[in-house]
Amino acid sequence: MTTSTVPVTQWLKNLQEEYRSLVRQSAFFKKVASASSAEDFQWIRQLYYLSSDFTAAVALRYGGCRDPRFRDAFGEHAAEEVTHPADLTEWMREFGFLAADDEPLSVPPTFETLALGSYFLRSAIREPIPHQIVTLNLMIEGMACDFYEAVNPKLDELGLTPKGYWAVHAKADMKHQILGLDLISPCDPDSPSGKSYARTAWEVASLWVQEFEAWSDVPVERRLKLPSPAELALS
């Protein structure tokens, strides 16, 4: 992580890319690469919860935003996410992840799923706007780019055509990850605000990688742990 005075959009994006690179080292990406059947994608049932919580979070963020500088960006994001849980449900039914009489919530969420989804919602309800942008745009959408880039080709290879929900995400996340980032007030990475933003990035990436490791059946004691922003700066 750089410590020189640079625009917030630059140093935060640099930090995001460092964490994305580390998250791509998780067991999940190896699991996806070696998948040979639909049975290897049962984690999709957990993905439904995350899709629902994320959709709710961006809607809550827009509904609660009173700052005109951010409302258009937040409204655009919320409008583009609103159908995603239903789109994923439709895809799951078509490809056998849900039986005709089954519901997406019939498989309970794991603790890791609850933790990550709750972080989305807490950010939208309790945290200031810059925290919301770092969480719900920069980090989540940035790591989602890597997720769909890995998963979509494998689904296609196995005949599980990544259309609808999957195709939309492949196109939208690159744009969503920087939505509103240029509206955050400039600050140095070593300033109190900068340190807060960096900690938020680390928290989101850490929760995300714990989810991935859980989906890959990695025992808790062996899961990938991400370095803090301070540790990255020393490396």
Side-chain angles (χ1 to χ4, degrees):
M1 175 182 168
T2 181
T3 58
S4 60
T5 303
V6 292
V8 66
T9 51
Q10 182 178 327
W11 69 260
L12 268 176
K13 195 69 174 65
N14 291 345
L15 180 61
Q16 179 230 41
E17 289 170 356
E18 288 197 63
Y19 278 126
R20 285 173 65 177
S21 178
L22 292 169
V23 170
R24 289 195 298 269
Q25 298 174 27
S26 71
F28 175 78
F29 287 91
K30 299 181 181 69
K31 180 182 177 73
V32 170
S34 63
S36 59
S37 73
E39 290 300 313
D40 296 314
F41 290 88
Q42 294 306 307
W43 47 261
I44 285 172
R45 298 299 296 270
Q46 298 298 313
L47 180 64
Y48 175 82
Y49 284 98
L50 296 183
S51 178
S52 297
D53 285 344
F54 187 78
T55 297
V58 295
L60 284 167
R61 176 177 68 171
Y62 174 59
C65 181
R66 298 294 178 264
D67 189 328
R69 295 175 301 159
F70 296 93
R71 277 192 61 80
D72 287 347
F74 289 175
E76 176 185 351
H77 197 180
E80 292 178 353
E81 296 282 345
V82 68
T83 66
H84 288 182
D87 295 341
L88 180 56
T89 299
E90 180 180 349
W91 183 91
M92 286 194 292
R93 290 199 192 282
E94 180 175 350
F95 289 95
F97 290 91
L98 280 175
D101 59 348
D102 197 7
E103 293 299 326
L105 303 181
S106 62
V107 172
T110 65
F111 286 119
E112 292 83 2
T113 298
L114 289 171
L116 184 54
S118 296
Y119 195 96
F120 300 161
L121 295 165
R122 186 184 189 281
S123 180
I125 295 170
R126 297 282 303 277
E127 299 293 349
I129 285 176
H131 186 288
Q132 296 171 14
I133 291 173
V134 173
T135 297
L136 300 175
N137 292 99
L138 182 69
M139 295 306 297
I140 292 300
E141 297 284 19
M143 291 185 293
C145 288
D146 300 325
F147 172 80
Y148 294 105
E149 184 176 341
V151 172
N152 284 13
K154 179 57 72 167
L155 291 174
D156 196 35
E157 176 186 318
L158 298 176
L160 304 168
T161 310
K163 59 184 179 177
Y165 169 88
W166 305 96
V168 167
H169 275 282
K171 296 177 181 177
D173 292 343
M174 190 69 70
K175 177 184 72 173
H176 287 163
Q177 67 172 316
I178 60 171
L179 199 72
L181 190 62
D182 61 331
L183 298 175
I184 296 178
S185 298
C187 68
D188 188 275
D190 290 327
S191 68
S193 291
K195 289 179 180 179
S196 175
Y197 302 158
R199 179 177 175 82
T200 296
W202 171 70
E203 289 171 350
V204 180
S206 295
L207 288 169
W208 183 281
V209 83
Q210 289 302 302
E211 178 79 284
F212 271 3
E213 296 283 80
W215 289 357
S216 305
D217 300 319
V218 177
V220 173
E221 65 275 11
R222 291 174 50 200
R223 291 179 185 174
L224 179 64
K225 291 181 174 56
L226 301 183
S228 69
E231 291 169 331
L232 280 178
L234 294 174
S235 61

